[in-house]
Amino acid sequence: MKIPKLDIRELFTSAVVVVVIIALLQYFGGLLVTAPGQIDPTGLAIIGILFVLISALIAIITANTSLPTPDWATGSDE
């Protein structure tokens, strides 16, 4: 089983972007909360952790199959 070298900085940056966007949607639109103007920090933390874990899982699966490994998982080839 091959484990790719993950770009942790890229994964965490993507997770932060996702969490901030969901927090804004919660605050201004009431997404996943009872009313607009609220933010669920526990839910946001869970979403951030799941995002990183699922992204790493996708990278591991693609490294061990014929599917191409996404650039966001392993970073750029510079």
Side-chain angles (χ1 to χ4, degrees):
M1 178 175 179
K2 294 188 283 185
I3 298 177
K5 183 178 181 217
L6 299 175
D7 186 1
I8 300 299
R9 185 182 314 162
E10 185 81 22
L11 285 175
F12 281 117
T13 303
S14 299
V16 167
V17 170
V18 167
V19 168
V20 166
I21 290 173
I22 292 175
L24 290 172
L25 289 172
Q26 283 183 349
Y27 188 78
F28 292 112
L31 178 72
L32 302 173
V33 291
T34 56
Q38 298 178 342
I39 293 179
D40 179 19
T42 305
L44 292 173
I46 291 170
I47 289 171
I49 291 168
L50 286 176
F51 182 85
V52 171
L53 291 176
I54 291 172
S55 297
L57 181 65
I58 289 171
I60 291 170
I61 289 171
T62 57
N64 290 294
T65 61
S66 62
L67 298 171
T69 303
D71 289 338
W72 54 260
T74 58
S76 61
D77 294 326
E78 296 178 45

